[in-house]
Amino acid sequence: TLIRSDSNGRYINQAATKADVKTVTGAKIGHVLNMLSQQDSFAEYSAVVFSAGQNNIDGSEDVNFDKWRDANQPQINNMATWASG
């Protein structure tokens, strides 16, 4: 299993899960996509797991999903395009 994430994934025990885990503190959707796009091959992995978007919140108390989605839709579209091959 290949796992790429922002720092929320830093506690994943790579040895116990037998996963290839890499995390980047503060990574946003585009950063995680960049990590995935730099991977030479996925052939050796039975699964690819990525976690992104938590750092795309603007920090205000009023978290509005529609506002978040609209602001991040281009990065989400890039991730979907990449994932579909």
Side-chain angles (χ1 to χ4, degrees):
T1 302
L2 176 79
I3 301 174
R4 298 294 182 259
S5 174
D6 60 20
S7 62
N8 289 294
R10 70 186 172 276
Y11 296 112
I12 297 170
N13 186 324
Q14 185 165 274
T17 60
K18 297 182 180 178
D20 177 353
V21 180
K22 286 194 176 51
T23 64
V24 174
T25 301
K28 295 184 177 184
I29 295 169
H31 299 118
V32 173
L33 177 59
N34 189 47
M35 290 167 52
L36 290 167
S37 67
Q38 301 215 0
Q39 184 73 30
D40 289 333
S41 172
F42 296 95
E44 67 185 278
Y45 302 105
S46 60
V48 175
V49 178
F50 56 88
S51 173
Q54 297 91 328
N55 291 317
N56 289 77
I57 295 173
D58 66 10
S60 69
E61 292 290 324
D62 180 30
V63 177
N64 178 304
F65 177 72
D66 292 330
K67 181 180 171 185
W68 178 93
R69 185 194 56 230
D70 292 346
N72 293 288
Q73 196 63 54
Q75 291 185 60
I76 293 167
N77 291 345
N78 287 340
M79 182 77 75
T81 300
W82 176 87
S84 66

